[in-house]
Amino acid sequence: MSDSDFDRETAVEPTGPGRWRARVSDGWNIAGNPNGGYLLAIVLSAMRQLGPHPDPLSVTAHFLRPGTGGVDAEVAADLVRAGRSLTTVRGSLVQDGKQRLEVLAAHGDLAVGPDHPMLSTTPPEIPPPEECVPRSAEEQGVDLALASRITTVLDPRHAQAGRAGAAEVTGWIRFADGRPPDAQSLVVFADAFPPSIFGLLGRIGWVPTIELTVHVRRRPAPGWLLGHFTTDDLQGGRMIEEGSIWDSEGQLVARSRQLALLLSGDT
Amino acid sequence: MSDSDFDRETAVEPTGPGRWRARVSDGWNIAGNPNGGYLLAIVLSAMRQLGPHPDPLSVTAHFLRPGTGGVDAEVAADLVRAGRSLTTVRGSLVQDGKQRLEVLAAHGDLAVGPDHPMLSTTPPEIPPPEECVPRSAEEQGVDLALASRITTVLDPRHAQAGRAGAAEVTGWIRFADGRPPDAQSLVVFADAFPPSIFGLLGRIGWVPTIELTVHVRRRPAPGWLLGHFTTDDLQGGRMIEEGSIWDSEGQLVARSRQLALLLSGDT
């Protein structure tokens, strides 16, 4: 058993063909419920046992109901297609008889690929981690047990509720226990920053995600990751947040997009 | 039966609980196989029969194998969660015993939503449709039966293979038979432009999509739609293409992101 919180707390134990049990930790809670990316990482632990491909290239999760920390979960994963270069799997996470997540993912091997012309983007310039501001539960107006597992420090321009002047958040992120990032963990980091709308609208409380899709683009180098998240599309209380994550060598390692709800009465 | 090609050729006929049959037309072929967005629209025809919510808010399709035009398909759709404001459904499309698509979608009602502050983006400025250039099968180097169903005219700056100087394509799109666009059809339009990488790399042939996610943001007004698609992320032969579609009133109506393959030996 690994001594990293992430490996230990996303582990799954087989209970039958395509079925596993997991213990959902309450250490990843935000506003009283487990972070969605953390629950998704538990499902991915089961999914990657169904094929030879190690890296989650495309992961889509629909968040049906909040999960519960400190309670066991039943995880299911079923093969959709076993291909030469891709394994496509769907999965679910159930607690107390109610489904919390539905997941559809394609795994592949990021170490394999033709030497085509490459396009990429460079990270925004922000102060180094030691000059950034620790993410504050008070500032965001929610309980943040998640801070025991993930350290997030924000560009000072984006750290105060309603003061960024834009729906934008930039900062550095890593596991609190020093575990280096890998392809699996990028799915968690893609969902662990404060909502970017927070910098524009202020203390908005919990922003429920309807659906999150993460594309892992490259295995990250050790060290801090730099995340940049923006929202430029909010209609009828539903918004799209887009994110990019670069590793400590400045390489683009993940992209994310999510559809989330801005709850009535919070602004 | 509607006299629009789209309605007639995406119709599904029930064969049992959660099961339908569809006739896949060859009128939507590109490079010899049906356009992925068209196959997806067939699955959505079945999915939206499972709940009261009319609009596809979030649709993710994994394209497992190319489909075949002119052949029947079996469509399955199963309820994941029936909620008050969202119906979440997964589905599949099978031809000749082989699964071609796996789909996960949330439907809702775009006419319902709180009157929150709104963020949106404006369309890029391009020439009007009559000054744009019809999409050319010869220029792209593929067969384009799809042109019998969808009319696409491109910004002249983006219409020639390898001449755009960037992985960017902008243009106008509509059904060839004049059917007005609706929320369902935006999923097809989001997958019907030439690949944006074409403007940078030239005649690249078929660009297989691994996964496509479309967020429908608003029901479109009648008339031409304006699409803008870019690729700034190509690594190991895998690329992310992002798109936005605005309606004839300049309102943002859909966003898309797809993970696609640039096949070896084509450049």
Side-chain angles (χ1 to χ4, degrees), chain A residues 214-264:
Chain A
V214 179
H215 295 114
V216 176
R217 306 294 293 141
R218 178 182 282 259
R219 295 181 190 159
W224 286 97
L225 298 163
L226 191 162
H228 181 233
F229 296 83
T230 59
T231 300
D232 63 8
D233 179 2
L234 164 61
Q235 307 192 37
R238 291 171 290 264
M239 64 187 161
I240 303 286
E241 179 177 87
E242 300 193 295
S244 297
I245 299 177
W246 294 264
D247 69 9
S248 61
E249 296 176 355
Q251 298 280 2
L252 181 64
V253 293
R255 310 286 293 271
S256 69
R257 188 176 276 182
Q258 66 171 260
L259 177 64
L261 286 180
L262 195 59
L263 297 175
S264 303

Side-chain angles (χ1 to χ4, degrees), chain A residues 112-125:
Chain A
V112 173
D115 186 26
H116 268 301
M118 194 181 117
L119 296 172
S120 193
T121 61
T122 52
E125 293 201 11

